[in-house]
Amino acid sequence: MNSTEIRNRTVEFGKYKNHAENFLSAPQNPTRSSLKGCGAVNLSFRERKAGGEKFAMLTAYDYPMARLLDESGVDLVLVGDSLGMVVLGYPDTTSVTMEHMVHHCHAVVRGVKSAFVVADLPIGSVDTPELAVQNALRLHEAGAHGVKLEGGVSRCREIAAIVEAGIPVMGHIGMLPQRVRVEGGYKIKGKTPTEAEQLYADAVVVEKAGAFAVVMELVRHEVARKITATMTIPTIGIGSGPDCDGQVLVIHDLAGLFPWFTPKFATPRAQVAGSIREAVQTFVQDTKAAGEPYSTKSHDQSVTLEKPTLPGRASLERKNNQSLHCGNLNSVQGQIEPEASGC
């Protein structure tokens, strides 16, 4: 879709076309078209959308969850700043820092082999194009394949700058969690013609700035459907209806892993929190009843080994406690599992 077609699309959405027009008519740096990495990603996602593919995207914040998602076939893994709530215990995402994001990004990418990893740029990290590029590079160096930032028309310069630096960008419009304190809550967007016009202008500018996809959060369903039908890049919905090109959820909401709050639009497909509670309660009961959570037989085998079966370990008595805790007795006739990492 060329610039003329994009401009024409904004007309039907009224006065907000001017915001898009201003950006679309501004001189664009031709070097962006030669950025093979970004160009290949952008083209790939456009072609997949054109072919009717739907995109499944879930959040992950650590190695084991990232690996599970990747092995289960998700298309995109998001290292979301939602970690502020479901991992760090903050009331919203506004306390998340770049240090948090870099730390968790490193963990996630270690568990992913196939999925496309996107990392959120947290609040305050994209206040200028220069700062946006600097922080996007940090996440890219941590292993993220692309970054996501909130905002449409208001962030077109930052999106374009990051793309120009060679890093794929996913946009995020609609309800913006980083503005939750400003707006006084999580509110559905697109309820009025004016809001719909703004959302459309945001989507057009995000696409034109070079983003390969855009998340639409809590957008009224008919508005999300109309935007999806007119964009050449995929739309990834969250609480925005079934007609987007894909869906994203916080893994804790999908798996029932955060029982203290579940968004209305999320349908848990499991109740992991209940399983964890049951396992822990059983462990506690067994421990208190028997005084030792492990079987007597297994325990006796571990502590009654005689020194002759441990050649070269004259200091067994001195190291006994460490060995039992770390599973470090892998040389003892194969009775203990291989050495645990970090011991």
Side-chain angles (χ1 to χ4, degrees), residues 31-47 163 166-169 210 212:
T31 61
R32 276 199 291 136
S33 61
S34 65
L35 296 169
K36 295 182 180 180
C38 274
V41 169
N42 195 300
L43 179 61
S44 172
F45 276 91
R46 287 173 184 255
E47 290 179 341
V163 171
I167 301 173
V169 175
F212 68 88

Side-chain angles (χ1 to χ4, degrees), residues 214-252:
V214 59
V215 167
M216 294 194 293
E217 183 163 359
L218 291 184
V219 173
R220 196 169 181 177
H221 294 187
E222 55 266 34
V223 177
R225 179 172 60 250
K226 189 172 184 179
I227 292 174
T228 298
T230 55
M231 304 300 289
T232 65
I233 61 174
T235 60
I236 311 295
I238 177 168
S240 298
D243 298 312
C244 298
D245 296 306
Q247 298 292 328
V248 59
L249 281 176
V250 172
I251 185 61
H252 292 64

